[in-house]
Amino acid sequence: MNSIYQYFRAIWYGFSSLWKGMMLTGHYLVHPKKILTEQYPENRDTLYIPERFQGEVVLPHDENNEHLCTGCTICEMNCPNGSIKIITRQVETPEGKKKKELDEWVYHLGLCTFCGQCIDACPQDAIKMSNAFEHSVYDRKLLTKVLNQPGSKLKSAKK
Amino acid sequence: MQLSISLLEITRAIDSWLNSAFHPHVAYGIELVLAGVAVILLVVAMAILMVYAERKLAGFMQMRLGPMRVGKWGSMQAVADVMKLLLKECLVPTNSDKLMFRVAPFVVTIVSFMTLVPIAFAKGIQLWDINIGVFYITAVSSLSVIGILMAGWSSNNKYSLLGAMRSGAQIVSYELSGGLALIVVVMMSGTLSISGIVQAQADGWWVIKGHIPVIIAFVTFIITSTAELNRAPFDLAEAESELTAGYHTEYSGMQFAMFFLSEYTNMFVLSMVAATVFLGGWMPFHLAGLDGLNHFMDYIPGIVWFFGKTFFILFLIVWFRWTFPRLRIDQLLKLEWKYLLPVSIINVLFAAFIALMGWYL
Amino acid sequence: METKDIKHDEFVINVGPQHPSTHGVLRLELWLDGEDIIDSKPHLGYIHRGIEKMSEALGYKQFIYLTSRMDYLSAHISNQACSLAIEKGLQIEAPARAQVIRVLMAELTRLASHQLWWGALGLDLGAVSPFFYAFREREMILEIFEETCGSRLTMNYITPGGVVNDLHPDFVKKVKKLIEQLKGNLHEYYQLLTGNVILQARTRGVGKLTAEDAVSLGCTGPVARASGVKCDVRKLHPYDGYDKVEFEEVLNDKGDNFARYWLRIEEMKQSIYIIEQLIDNIPEGSYREKLKGVVKLPAGEYYQRVETARGELGVYIVSDGKKEPYRVRFRTPNFSNLNALRPMLKGAKIGDMVSMMATLDLIIPDIDR
């Protein structure tokens, strides 16, 4: 008798548990307001990207086309996968001293893992991460960028 | 033997015009072709609609939107998918049994279209009112397992073979209780013909007036038809996470589309059978004794009733699929042989008693 | 392992390296007799990247970012392990605020990881919907990470001496909202899968692992705890102030698939409990002790063990006083947990293989490193 009871109990338990699951999916079916999908290319304007999001490394320039990078190459040394190459040049200051200056800040976006160690290490806070994330291009050559703008120079003595 | 595409004046008109313009045999042949084309078009249209509806329903159940890109609200997505499948190359594996490999999708598709023959879509709209309609459907639908086994064997792929073997075991066992569930209604109606069964429900659908046995039979039939369709939670034959795609792993392009189409056709046929046998087919909602209600319900045309019921059952099957995890092969067979079959057998005895005593409404 | 002769009725199938249920590139060779599995043999190395060797060429602060790529679902905890090992070498301790932030992040990571596991388990067993329900809360956690750390999966946020950034101003508010929503939604987990008769049938009594086997195979984490082995590093060797928070080491002695399933669900509740205790008590103060530009560890050996979402991760650093480590070795939990698969699989069905792999919660890049 007990086994017969168990048999029907199992059937009852099976049906009730299945019905519970169906109620849950049914609940979401009739509550379209709970839909979470974000339709990406259409919602570009309203897309929320936190300000700390690490998209790519940028070298900010001010209105006089000046940046803060002294070309010390600490970021290059701190980069774990060689995505930064700092090319410097020797220039002569008006006083006649020889000085090292940033020539090209080469950034290989294709190699970068966005770990943020270059930003963390930069003593001048010259570089930072931008929020851009749409990096896809048709030619991988385009992923190698020179971050300092042509004709830019080091910001004259900070006060 | 007479084609009973009658009732509607249009079909009558076409029939008489064809008979006047051509030799009767030629006219008959043309009618056959026309009927076949009509059914295929209906099924393909329904399949496209159903694929779209299923993806939308699944999306809403999972807090997604489903397809949204092609057309307004993604309504052209299924059409685009069909176009893609039509244009794709049909690959045949090098060491496969090429003849069987190519024939298998046709077997499956033809079988699933054959089962459509005795379905009554509305009063009088029926391809062939064969007097053993229910028996015909159960007999023919079990042939589809041959196509699946052919596909699994000829692919020369171990995953396909395992999937096909699972499918064979599954369909063969689930036919038993599916048949027994139909027998309950056949006994109560006293006929095997589809139109007869629908007529017997003129004063109330079997699921309402047939008491507990018919309700049990209805639930059993829904479970077994889900299993015969190889759909989740019984989709062991294709079990994505175990066998990648089961018996149609090696198929691509139109050959794959034919398997897909036949799966959906089978889905329609079994839903239509369930709607016809248990929910009264095209018969409007009638209750004995309530003439006002019955008269009111008659204003809704039969074809609306029929497809409404069909889509209700299709919705149930879709709902199952997007809720439940998959069973294991031994549990699948245990469910059939230890639960469904004994319950069905006892249910048939019980139903026979009720039918003999005439206790139903 | 020796190669076997194939008998008449047996056949071999390769599950993977591209297979939907291996969650990556694990390759399992299965000897089958019909549906029954006779024997199995895992093949590793499809995603071996040589992280240990690469670490020898990088500085102490630099190689940590590589460990995020081992167990990518426990990225914070892997980073934490390395940071702790290096801090041991430098004989410093992270500030109190940093320690609490680390614990919070580690527990959020554990929650996110277990949620992904729950969704993937449903997917493996053939139910697609759980995946999306699990991702709803996981998405909230990832957004919290994104706001504070700047990225979602491989954060590189925990660093020797503390954490890289201070918490985002919205952090506390968002975590509280998450906890509230998660508590309200945990019953859905029961409704959809835990109580489901099919899941119960698929998991109960399947894939039994005895406590002896678990110990001798080196299993750790939820896999071993489900067999009744006490092995929570957070309890046994507390680090980063885990001894100051109250939580329970969940144990189960059944050792089957369902025990592992149940244990992870309970662990999620414990993680919520830990976060609740800490979220209002984050001490003020410095979040980071600034280290020198180039860190040099004194010559010697340093070992640190932590509890990731999948078990015990050990980081072993040998230093010869240079600016790069002489040798780095990771004892990863998934490699040992994978060993449990072979004894479990004997005599099981193909369907069981999927559920066992799902409840072992294997992360393949963590096995190969």
Side-chain angles (χ1 to χ4, degrees):
Chain A
M1 204 61 213
N2 194 36
S3 61
I4 292 172
Y5 171 72
Q6 290 294 333
Y7 180 85
F8 284 104
R9 220 181 101 91
I11 293 178
W12 171 248
Y13 174 75
F15 272 108
S16 66
S17 77
L18 295 179
W19 177 245
K20 268 184 200 161
M22 284 172 70
M23 284 311 286
L24 186 69
T25 43
H27 172 82
Y28 283 106
L29 177 68
V30 295
H31 286 79
K33 278 189 183 161
K34 294 195 175 179
I35 284 175
L36 298 168
T37 310
E38 289 179 23
Q39 290 199 280
Y40 158 59
E42 285 91 351
N43 72 349
R44 267 210 190 97
D45 303 331
T46 55
L47 203 60
Y48 169 61
I49 298 172
E51 72 267 29
R52 285 185 194 170
F53 176 72
Q54 299 171 338
E56 63 173 334
V57 179
V58 288
L59 185 65
H61 290 65
D62 66 0
E63 62 277 9
N64 305 322
N65 203 10
E66 288 174 335
H67 55 75
L68 290 172
C69 182
T70 57
C72 65
T73 71
I74 285 179
C75 51
E76 189 183 334
M77 285 190 290
N78 266 279
C79 181
N81 34 33
S83 43
I84 301 172
K85 180 77 191 148
I86 309 287
I87 300 167
T88 53
R89 61 180 172 216
Q90 296 286 338
V91 288
E92 217 164 301
T93 52
E95 293 92 60
K97 280 189 211 158
K98 282 203 169 167
K99 207 182 142 200
K100 208 166 72 170
E101 197 189 83
L102 178 70
D103 186 21
E104 276 189 342
W105 209 107
V106 184
Y107 175 46
H108 299 279
L109 182 58
L111 295 175
C112 184
T113 57
F114 314 107
C115 63
Q117 294 194 37
C118 47
I119 283 96
D120 200 33
C122 183
Q124 308 291 327
D125 287 338
I127 44 175
K128 64 180 191 113
M129 282 283 189
S130 85
N131 282 353
F133 61 95
E134 288 162 324
H135 292 315
S136 46
V137 285
Y138 283 104
D139 189 350
R140 63 186 268 194
K141 280 179 199 146
L142 299 173
L143 290 173
T144 300
K145 299 176 181 178
V146 176
L147 293 187
N148 53 330
Q149 290 163 5
S152 65
K153 54 178 189 289
L154 180 65
K155 199 173 222 169
S156 46
K158 281 189 288 180
K159 267 144 200 149
Chain B
M1 200 170 72
Q2 176 122 23
L3 264 184
S4 61
I5 313 172
S6 52
L7 191 91
L8 292 178
E9 281 82 23
I10 308 159
T11 51
R12 279 253 168 85
I14 292 171
D15 184 45
S16 57
W17 178 76
L18 282 170
N19 273 312
S20 62
F22 299 100
H23 188 269
H25 291 307
V26 179
Y28 190 65
I30 292 172
E31 275 173 22
L32 280 175
V33 170
L34 280 179
V37 168
V39 166
I40 289 172
L41 282 181
L42 174 81
V43 167
V44 170
M46 267 181 87
I48 288 173
L49 180 67
M50 196 57 213
V51 170
Y52 174 69
E54 177 163 13
R55 290 177 67 177
K56 272 289 180 199
L57 284 174
F60 281 127
M61 282 178 191
Q62 297 165 350
M63 301 177 292
R64 296 184 290 121
L65 287 168
M68 286 295 280
R69 299 280 168 211
V70 191
K72 179 84 178 157
W73 289 86
S75 50
M76 289 291 115
Q77 183 68 53
V79 180
D81 287 346
V82 171
M83 295 300 288
K84 183 204 79 173
L85 285 171
L86 278 170
L87 293 172
K88 270 175 88 174
E89 186 188 357
C90 295
L91 296 169
V92 181
T94 318
N95 289 325
S96 61
D97 187 335
K98 300 227 167 36
L99 176 70
M100 290 239 279
F101 188 83
R102 286 177 199 277
V103 167
F106 289 95
V107 173
V108 175
T109 319
I110 289 169
V111 163
S112 58
F113 277 112
M114 273 166 74
T115 47
L116 271 167
V117 168
I119 301 281
F121 296 100
K123 193 177 169 86
I125 304 189
Q126 200 173 2
L127 286 184
W128 182 19
D129 190 10
I130 182 174
N131 59 356
I132 49 164
V134 172
F135 180 67
Y136 174 86
I137 287 170
T138 48
V140 172
S141 68
S142 61
L143 284 175
S144 71
V145 71
I146 293 173
I148 290 173
L149 283 174
M150 277 166 79
W153 173 257
S154 62
S155 294
N156 192 25
N157 179 326
K158 290 164 185 170
Y159 286 119
S160 303
L161 184 60
L162 272 173
M165 288 303 166
R166 280 181 179 191
S167 178
Q170 182 178 333
I171 291 179
V172 166
S173 20
Y174 273 81
E175 252 159 27
L176 292 170
S177 36
L180 287 174
L182 290 175
I183 282 178
V184 169
V185 170
V186 168
M187 279 192 307
M188 290 192 177
S189 314
T191 174
L192 276 166
S193 112
I194 295 278
S195 58
I197 288 175
V198 175
Q199 269 323 319
Q201 300 177 72
D203 53 349
W205 304 343
W206 277 122
V207 80
I208 293 164
K209 66 175 182 175
H211 303 297
I212 298 160
V214 176
I215 293 170
I216 293 174
F218 180 58
V219 173
T220 327
F221 188 75
I222 294 287
I223 296 172
T224 52
S225 55
T226 318
E228 276 183 64
L229 291 166
N230 290 328
R231 276 178 71 88
F234 307 104
D235 58 343
L236 286 132
E238 36 205 283
E240 193 208 340
S241 58
E242 294 159 31
L243 305 177
T244 58
Y247 60 88
H248 55 60
T249 306
E250 297 285 353
Y251 283 90
S252 59
M254 204 53 217
Q255 290 172 333
F256 169 73
M258 284 170 86
F259 277 111
F260 204 65
L261 180 67
S262 83
E263 186 192 316
Y264 273 85
T265 316
N266 279 332
M267 208 164 117
F268 300 139
V269 171
L270 285 169
S271 317
M272 285 167 178
V273 171
T276 308
V277 170
F278 297 101
L279 302 179
W282 49 264
M283 193 58 80
F285 184 76
H286 283 173
L287 281 174
L290 292 169
D291 286 336
L293 178 81
N294 296 351
H295 199 64
F296 176 71
M297 289 294 177
D298 284 338
Y299 280 112
I300 302 169
I303 197 145
V304 174
W305 278 107
F306 181 74
F307 281 104
K309 290 165 192 173
T310 309
F311 277 110
F312 168 71
I313 290 164
L314 285 172
F315 170 72
L316 276 186
I317 294 174
V318 169
W319 197 2
F320 292 153
R321 171 163 181 185
W322 298 104
T323 308
F324 300 143
R326 183 184 303 122
L327 285 158
R328 207 171 60 205
I329 182 74
D330 57 327
Q331 289 158 356
L332 178 93
L333 298 177
K334 198 170 112 183
L335 173 70
E336 161 66 16
W337 294 100
K338 280 180 77 177
Y339 291 95
L340 289 180
L341 193 61
V343 168
S344 305
I345 288 172
I346 292 167
N347 192 39
V348 166
L349 288 173
F350 195 34
F353 184 66
I354 286 181
L356 276 175
M357 303 302 280
W359 277 350
Y360 44 85
L361 301 168
Chain C
M1 240 183 286
E2 76 289 354
T3 46
K4 281 182 55 154
D5 292 330
I6 301 167
K7 290 198 203 93
H8 180 62
D9 278 345
E10 301 172 7
F11 68 100
V12 184
I13 60 170
N14 280 303
V15 179
Q18 285 99 23
H19 188 275
S21 75
T22 51
H23 300 291
V25 286
L26 177 69
R27 178 176 151 219
L28 271 179
E29 219 172 287
L30 295 183
W31 277 267
L32 295 178
D33 178 12
E35 284 272 339
D36 295 321
I37 296 167
I38 301 167
D39 203 355
S40 65
K41 180 173 160 187
H43 291 257
L44 309 180
Y46 287 91
I47 191 164
H48 178 69
R49 293 148 297 172
I51 285 180
E52 289 175 7
K53 193 71 192 166
M54 277 159 83
S55 305
E56 291 170 20
L58 295 170
Y60 285 103
K61 273 159 96 182
Q62 287 170 299
F63 82 82
I64 293 175
Y65 94 103
L66 285 169
T67 59
S68 313
R69 272 95 182 152
M70 297 194 313
D71 184 350
Y72 47 82
L73 294 179
S74 309
H76 270 314
I77 308 178
S78 311
N79 293 349
Q80 190 185 8
C82 295
S83 303
L84 283 166
I86 293 164
E87 281 166 15
K88 240 184 208 173
L90 295 170
Q91 292 183 331
I92 56 166
E93 208 172 46
R97 183 177 173 83
Q99 289 195 0
V100 171
I101 295 174
R102 282 179 180 184
V103 172
L104 277 171
M105 288 297 178
E107 292 310 314
L108 285 174
T109 309
R110 202 182 310 278
L111 272 178
S113 166
H114 282 348
Q115 270 160 357
L116 183 76
W117 156 82
W118 186 76
L121 176 124
L123 209 57
D124 278 349
L125 295 183
V128 186
S129 298
F131 198 67
F132 294 93
Y133 297 137
F135 261 56
R136 177 182 38 183
E137 275 90 26
R138 185 166 186 268
E139 189 59 36
M140 291 179 78
I141 297 177
L142 292 192
E143 200 178 296
I144 290 167
F145 286 163
E146 196 181 2
E147 277 186 342
T148 296
C149 320
S151 41
R152 294 158 62 86
L153 196 67
T154 50
M155 281 72 91
N156 197 33
Y157 176 65
I158 295 172
T159 185
V163 290
V164 174
N165 288 320
D166 203 359
L167 290 175
H168 192 271
D170 283 350
F171 180 81
V172 175
K173 198 178 81 193
K174 287 225 169 174
V175 170
K176 278 184 178 163
K177 194 174 157 229
L178 165 86
I179 296 288
E180 197 184 325
Q181 185 175 336
L182 195 55
K183 277 181 157 177
N185 285 339
L186 268 177
H187 74 95
E188 289 183 356
Y189 290 46
Y190 180 84
Q191 243 180 311
L192 199 58
L193 277 188
T194 316
N196 190 299
V197 66
I198 301 174
L199 180 112
Q200 300 258 343
R202 286 291 300 271
T203 52
R204 269 192 203 274
V206 174
K208 279 225 160 122
L209 184 71
T210 58
E212 290 78 34
D213 275 358
V215 170
S216 61
L217 292 167
C219 297
T220 47
V223 176
R225 262 171 270 152
S227 301
V229 183
K230 274 196 171 189
C231 62
D232 197 331
V233 183
R234 293 176 292 171
K235 279 273 184 214
L236 301 175
H237 304 277
Y239 54 92
D240 269 345
Y242 265 114
D243 45 350
K244 288 174 207 145
V245 289
E246 246 180 67
F247 69 100
E248 194 190 320
E249 183 178 355
V250 192
L251 286 174
N252 194 323
D253 51 3
K254 295 261 175 31
D256 58 359
N257 273 350
F258 190 75
R260 291 190 279 276
Y261 175 92
W262 175 86
L263 196 117
R264 286 204 176 87
I265 298 280
E266 291 296 312
E267 265 196 4
M268 280 164 68
K269 291 179 189 162
Q270 293 300 325
S271 286
I272 294 174
Y273 184 47
I274 295 175
I275 294 170
E276 275 181 331
Q277 289 172 53
L278 292 176
I279 192 67
D280 285 325
N281 304 315
I282 306 173
E284 293 297 318
S286 153
Y287 61 88
R288 184 179 191 181
E289 201 166 303
K290 212 55 173 163
L291 300 180
K292 271 186 267 172
V294 177
V295 177
K296 281 184 187 169
L297 256 57
E301 298 173 4
Y302 310 100
Y303 184 73
Q304 175 66 42
R305 53 209 290 204
V306 295
E307 181 79 15
T308 73
R310 280 163 198 77
E312 182 182 325
L313 170 72
V315 178
Y316 176 62
I317 299 175
V318 184
S319 167
D320 55 357
K322 294 210 188 84
K323 65 181 168 57
E324 293 103 7
Y326 176 74
R327 172 85 169 94
V328 179
R329 156 92 190 141
F330 300 109
R331 181 247 178 256
T332 52
N334 285 308
F335 182 77
S336 318
N337 288 354
L338 174 71
N339 292 335
L341 197 59
R342 192 167 177 239
M344 279 188 214
L345 273 178
K346 270 186 191 153
K349 300 261 187 300
I350 299 176
D352 289 338
M353 172 203 72
V354 177
S355 62
M356 282 171 203
M357 299 234 296
T359 53
L360 284 179
D361 196 10
L362 298 173
I363 297 286
I364 312 304
D366 195 36
I367 299 173
D368 285 349
R369 299 195 285 291

